Amino acid sequence: MSLLEELKRELDGIDVSIEERTDFSGYGVSPLAVVFAESEDHVVRTLIFANRKGLKVVPWGGGTSVTGALKCEGCVLLDLSRMRKIVEINDVDWYVRVQPGVVLDELNRELERRGFFLPPDPSSSFMCTVGGAIVENAGGMRAFKYGPFREWVLALRLALADGTVIKVGEPLRKNRAGYDLVSLVVGSEGTLGVVTEAWLRIRPLPKHEEVTLAIYPKDIFAVGEIVKVVRKSGLEPDLMEYMDAFVVRSVNKQIEPIYWEGEGGVVLVRGDNSTLSEVERLSSPFLARSEVVDGEVGRKMLNGRSLVAIAVKSEIGNIYAEDIVVPPSKLSEAILQIKRIEVENDTKIPVAGHVGDGNLHPMLREADLVSKPELFDEVGGVALRLGGSISGEHGIGIQKVNLLRSQLLNRNGEVVVKLMKEIKGLFDPKDTLNQGKFVDPL
Ligand SMILES: Cc1cc2nc3c(=O)[nH]c(=O)nc-3n(C[C@H](O)[C@H](O)[C@H](O)COP(=O)(O)OP(=O)(O)OC[C@H]3O[C@@H](n4cnc5c(N)ncnc54)[C@H](O)[C@@H]3O)c2cc1C
């Protein structure tokens, strides 16, 4: 009996299909089979079978990874998208308990009906799942004010590679019981276990009316100065997003043109009226023009920001987005260095990002990376030189393994790398889950 026949027999009652997939960035996923888990029991049975047969397992949430985190050859692809129940919304203890396949936007729609929200908002929130966002420690626009997923995960049920299920954490905001294994799992890129349920902290919806300020900087180098004055002032808008002039033009083509097309692109800031007036005043030496918009127009401007990857792809073909973070005080220098690399390589490197917290997404053309693969690490090196990090939210996958090695060895040292590999070995001794990714190849 072939391995596939054995898998189908063993997983009787669970949907199994044979299919090839690609993730959002076009990395190929060629599994032996796709298993559609509909319950924790399905996850456990799949892991036990894979463990016995020495098969590798890759969990699949919404498939929006941009780092090759889903890539596999001959693995069991464990599709969790059918585990999409919202189990409980607790409006006194302020948490929501969910299965991993719930799509983030669906969850927030449900929470909003109850007067709450879950702040982290990756631009893929219309497709990505809670499980994927947890293990990627996803951020997004609101992370500037509210932080990425790590700050919102209270407890998890986790199926380990051998099928053992553990619960880590408690649905409590304060909890000092032992090592913080929840934080360890958040951002572990599906290498330590499969999240089968999560308790997430929620917040009441803000009471103030949401207004958006569109600041059009004089030029791209003014962006860092705007961020500096706002941060120095102690003001806390909800978000500070940036799109350069090329990105603005690309997005304008996708929707009804909504942004003014100046040389410096646009910085979008959202908050209450008084915060935005102050931000506008402080930014005035660095801007070409600005406008405060509310209601539908403001929402459209922010939705446009979510369309960046799609818009840029339609202009210059497939892209691979970097995800560097620098101390916000070094943003101007980072942008300068990226633009220098762009000129030296006679190419186009559009830049967008969550500038409020120093997180930039320079986008590299696939065509350039084919002829010059080292370009990716060259741009990532900007973060390393400026005391930043090679990834703020997208993670490592297979894409940034070289950069991760550089960062960890140079900044943290060999002992830290060894500890990380030992942690992986403790959770997953047979290297079953997401083999060859994240810290595995270090
Ligand atoms: C257009 C676009 C915009 C984006 N914008 C942002 C952004 O603003 N901020 C940001 O942080 N990211 C962003 N991303 C990256 C990506 O969407 C996020 O990292 C997202 O959280 C991944 O969720 P997913 O459900 O699609 O996971 P997948 O892509 O399916 O999986 C990602 C990784 O998680 C693992 N995994 C999935 N589910 C589980 C589970 N239940 N248990 C264990 N492991 C699991 C997978 O094996 C894989 O390693 C963007 C992506 C796209 C395509």
Side-chain angles (χ1 to χ4, degrees), residues 10 40-57 78 158-166 190-194 196 424-434:
E10 189 87 11
E40 184 178 270
D41 178 57
H42 287 180
V43 172
V44 169
R45 282 172 58 198
T46 308
L47 289 169
I48 289 174
F49 175 77
N51 191 45
R52 202 172 64 236
K53 291 291 169 187
L55 288 167
K56 303 302 171 193
V57 177
L78 185 53
L158 192 73
L160 301 179
D162 66 359
T164 308
V165 177
I166 58 171
T191 57
L192 301 182
V194 181
T196 56
K424 165 71 175 166
L426 270 177
F427 275 76
D428 179 11
K430 289 191 184 169
D431 202 5
T432 300
L433 289 163
N434 269 318

Side-chain angles (χ1 to χ4, degrees), residues 18-247:
I18 315 300
E19 52 183 281
E20 300 268 314
R21 292 184 178 182
T22 49
D23 66 12
F24 186 87
S25 289
Y27 288 101
V29 185
S30 309
L32 170 73
V34 181
V35 175
F36 293 89
E38 294 184 23
S39 65
E40 184 178 270
D41 178 57
H42 287 180
V43 172
V44 169
R45 282 172 58 198
T46 308
L47 289 169
I48 289 174
F49 175 77
N51 191 45
R52 202 172 64 236
K53 291 291 169 187
L55 288 167
K56 303 302 171 193
V57 177
V58 173
W60 174 286
T64 66
S65 161
V66 286
T67 62
L70 292 157
K71 195 166 169 54
C72 89
E73 294 279 337
C75 69
V76 175
L77 192 67
L78 185 53
D79 188 318
L80 298 150
S81 61
R82 295 187 187 174
M83 290 180 68
R84 56 199 307 163
K85 275 197 207 99
I86 299 175
V87 182
E88 179 193 1
I89 296 175
N90 191 316
D91 56 8
V92 174
D93 298 330
W94 288 9
Y95 68 77
V96 60
R97 180 177 170 192
V98 282
Q99 289 189 327
V102 174
V103 170
L104 219 47
D105 275 357
E106 284 172 18
L107 176 58
N108 260 321
R109 273 195 290 275
E110 202 51 45
L111 288 171
E112 276 166 26
R113 274 196 272 277
R114 306 278 291 267
F116 286 85
F117 77 120
L118 174 69
D121 58 346
S123 302
S124 53
S125 58
F126 62 99
M127 276 177 86
C128 78
T129 62
V130 166
I134 290 171
V135 300
E136 291 293 336
N137 190 19
M141 299 196 237
R142 292 193 291 228
F144 173 52
K145 180 164 182 176
Y146 299 105
F149 253 84
R150 176 160 290 123
E151 294 175 34
W152 298 90
V153 185
L154 297 169
L156 296 169
R157 282 180 72 83
L158 192 73
L160 301 179
D162 66 359
T164 308
V165 177
I166 58 171
K167 177 178 169 243
V168 291
E170 296 296 338
L172 299 169
R173 185 150 184 207
K174 290 182 160 179
N175 175 22
R176 285 286 294 105
Y179 289 114
D180 185 354
L181 297 183
V182 176
S183 285
L184 182 60
V185 174
V186 178
S188 63
E189 304 199 6
T191 57
L192 301 182
V194 181
V195 173
T196 56
E197 202 163 282
W199 286 258
L200 305 168
R201 198 152 73 80
I202 55 176
R203 267 182 75 94
L205 284 167
K207 300 280 179 268
H208 63 254
E209 200 202 338
E210 289 173 350
V211 188
T212 304
L213 167 66
I215 300 174
Y216 297 95
K218 280 198 286 221
D219 55 45
I220 191 170
F221 306 110
V223 178
E225 301 311 309
I226 292 170
V227 171
K228 251 188 240 170
V229 290
V230 172
R231 288 187 64 102
K232 212 170 175 155
S233 70
L235 291 167
E236 261 198 319
D238 295 350
L239 53 86
M240 278 190 89
E241 291 294 310
Y242 180 62
M243 295 186 279
D244 76 9
F246 183 87
V247 177

